[in-house]
Amino acid sequence: MHVPGDPFAEDGALEAFADGALALADGRVLEAGDFGELRRRHPQAEIDDRRGALILPGFVDTHVHYPQVPVLGGIGMPLLAWLERRTLPEEARFADTAYAAAAARTFLRLLAANGTTSALVFGAHFAPAMERFFAEAERSGLRIAAGLTVADRNLRAELHTRPERALAEGLELARAWHGRGRLRYAVTPRFALSSGEGLLEACGELAAAVPGVLVTSHLNEAPEEIAAVRAQFPWAEDYLATYDRFGLVGERSVFAHDVHPGDGELERLAARGAGVAHCPTSNVSLGSGLFPLRRHLAAGVRVALGTDVGAGTGFGMLKEARAAQQVQMLRQDGAVLDPARALYLATAAGARMLGLGHLVGDFRSGREADLVVLRAPRGSTLAERLATAADATDALGAAITLAGEESVEEVRVAGVVVHSTPTDPAGT
Ligand code: GUN
Ligand code: ZN
């Protein structure tokens, strides 16, 4: 199954084959279709039989924090208290480069184990930690964009840098890693609240100096945070203006959350082609609010999904899609998220937002073969539910609701296996 079209613009965007096949060559998709038909068209092809499994495009996580695996589950606090008490002390530990390297390996392994093949990753505040992260990311085979997270106020002293240093370290990391294999650099001011104007200016300079670089930050997440930003930037008409003034809002910019946008911000996000990473499990866990998806869509703002580990509930992108659906149901003006739209937000929408839409996100002919093979564990709720599925949409809804990392059998990037679990010899 995949969603090659835009399910928010057209019906029938989900393409599914009950007895399906993917014809692959040299790491690319030749075609997706019915097994019998593809068999006839490619009689010489070697067959890798995955009957009983569900094959989907690899997931695209547009917002996830590398240093935050150890704070998953730190529940019961709103954003600013959670940062101060729980998260920033952990992030300070990434000054220890050996600790950071081990954490990078774990983080990347978990991304792949959950079926994520592409991600825009919020980095650590320490350049040596990011050196090690990029080295591990290259080894992982995943498509990763990431950058040094920078701040120069309101966090804690160990996490603060200076504008000249942020620019110099960013340039150095980008020179070493941007465009190398599947890696790209992302200019990453943590959020306006932890940024002086000089630092945002340095970020703008870095973004302008490195062609094709991404920009990522947080935007309009929680009421207390938005009020603090307003007090800190009295000249700014709104939160987005704090980034916009410094050239940080463009086609390659991705802002996490935007739970409480003004109409003017939505208009400017759309006009610049900037994207919003919707992170529903984080938003409900921190009590940030219920994302106004319909307003984003109506304004023409690009939206995809992010897990926001560690404020979110884990790396599972299907779970995130399911949470997005639940959040919309809780809004008076909620958008309808059916299984096709939910899968689209977890795959092709993210690929396009990260500038990878020409390469991955669906199984159109010529795409690089990034895919996840889901197989329900024998006797699991998902296995029982799939056995009674009425059609493809029904099966996909069941998978979005019930498939976690225990159901991820194999994951490939450009046809190469980046994660696999031992297959069940008895079959399920
Ligand atoms: N705003 C600034 N930093 C963070 C973070 O680490 N997580 C979330 N959810 N919001 C932030
Ligand atoms: Zn975040």
Side-chain angles (χ1 to χ4, degrees):
M1 293 184 197
H2 66 143
V3 191
D6 179 355
F8 290 97
E10 53 189 288
D11 285 337
L14 176 70
E15 197 172 84
F17 303 93
D19 182 14
L22 270 176
L24 307 179
D26 302 323
R28 288 184 186 271
V29 176
L30 294 175
E31 53 184 328
D34 173 72
F35 174 77
E37 247 173 66
L38 262 62
R39 187 81 201 97
R40 275 190 293 283
R41 278 213 283 282
H42 306 278
Q44 310 300 330
E46 181 190 325
I47 296 176
D48 180 350
D49 187 344
R50 299 293 172 128
R51 268 175 286 192
L54 197 58
I55 303 180
L56 304 175
F59 304 133
V60 181
D61 190 339
T62 63
H63 185 74
V64 55
H65 292 252
Y66 143 49
Q68 293 187 4
V69 175
V71 301
L72 278 164
I75 57 178
M77 289 164 271
L79 174 63
L80 297 181
W82 175 81
L83 280 173
E84 186 184 328
R85 288 190 223 148
R86 183 82 204 197
T87 303
L88 300 181
E90 172 60 27
E91 294 206 22
R93 300 184 69 182
F94 284 67
D96 175 343
T97 306
Y99 182 78
R105 282 190 290 278
T106 300
F107 173 85
L108 292 156
R109 180 174 62 74
L110 295 175
L111 269 185
N114 280 271
T116 296
T117 49
S118 299
L120 174 53
V121 177
F122 230 83
H125 285 269
F126 304 94
M130 291 313 296
E131 268 296 333
R132 301 302 295 268
F133 176 82
F134 277 116
E136 296 295 341
E138 182 171 52
R139 220 163 284 151
S140 77
L142 300 173
R143 292 178 209 275
I144 300 289
L148 177 69
T149 297
V150 296
D152 68 351
R153 57 170 145 173
N154 292 337
L155 298 184
R156 43 170 56 215
E158 313 96 279
L159 300 179
H160 291 165
T161 185
R162 283 168 289 103
E164 320 78 65
R165 181 171 165 198
L167 177 58
E169 290 179 342
L171 281 170
E172 170 112 21
L173 283 164
R175 189 163 42 233
W177 299 105
H178 182 62
R180 178 160 154 172
R182 301 194 184 99
L183 306 180
R184 288 179 300 160
Y185 197 76
V187 178
T188 311
R190 186 163 195 134
F191 61 160
L193 190 56
S194 61
S195 307
E197 291 172 26
L199 186 67
L200 292 169
E201 198 178 332
C203 288
E205 213 175 301
L206 178 58
V210 185
V213 83
L214 288 88
V215 173
T216 191
S217 194
H218 296 93
L219 176 69
N220 288 321
E221 181 173 4
E224 49 168 358
E225 166 224 19
I226 296 165
V229 168
R230 189 175 302 128
Q232 187 167 298
F233 295 88
W235 52 262
E237 65 183 291
D238 49 36
Y239 198 146
L240 187 66
T242 64
Y243 301 128
D244 207 8
R245 151 90 69 107
F246 301 100
L248 294 169
V249 184
E251 255 180 37
R252 285 287 159 82
S253 304
V254 176
F255 295 101
H257 307 303
D258 206 29
V259 178
H260 307 281
D263 290 338
E265 289 173 301
L266 291 173
E267 242 169 63
R268 271 142 55 224
L269 284 167
R272 305 264 196 291
V276 167
H278 171 36
C279 309
T281 69
S282 166
N283 296 162
V284 299
S285 297
L286 297 173
S288 302
L290 304 175
F291 181 70
L293 177 57
R294 190 183 288 281
R295 286 177 62 215
H296 282 77
L297 295 171
V301 179
R302 298 150 60 165
V303 176
L305 293 174
T307 59
D308 198 21
V309 163
T313 61
F315 288 92
M317 284 294 292
L318 292 181
K319 175 162 53 105
E320 209 60 41
R322 187 64 159 90
Q325 180 274 326
Q326 291 169 312
V327 163
Q328 291 311 303
M329 293 304 286
L330 287 173
R331 284 190 65 100
Q332 295 268 318
D333 66 344
V336 174
L337 287 185
D338 59 14
R341 289 176 172 184
L343 180 61
Y344 173 77
L345 288 176
T347 55
R352 286 171 202 168
M353 185 178 296
L354 301 190
L356 300 171
H358 59 298
L359 291 176
V360 296
D362 58 40
F363 292 143
R364 282 194 234 185
S365 299
R367 297 284 197 243
E368 299 200 0
D370 286 18
L371 58 91
V372 51
V373 181
L374 296 178
R375 185 181 301 280
R378 191 158 24 153
S380 65
T381 309
L382 178 58
E384 298 302 339
R385 184 58 188 80
L386 289 175
T388 63
D391 57 23
T393 301
D394 190 34
L396 180 57
I400 289 170
T401 303
L402 295 164
E405 69 191 348
E406 74 294 330
S407 299
V408 176
E409 176 176 273
E410 186 176 290
V411 183
R412 297 190 188 195
V413 172
V416 175
V417 176
V418 295
H419 171 82
S420 72
T421 49
T423 48
D424 176 356
T428 47

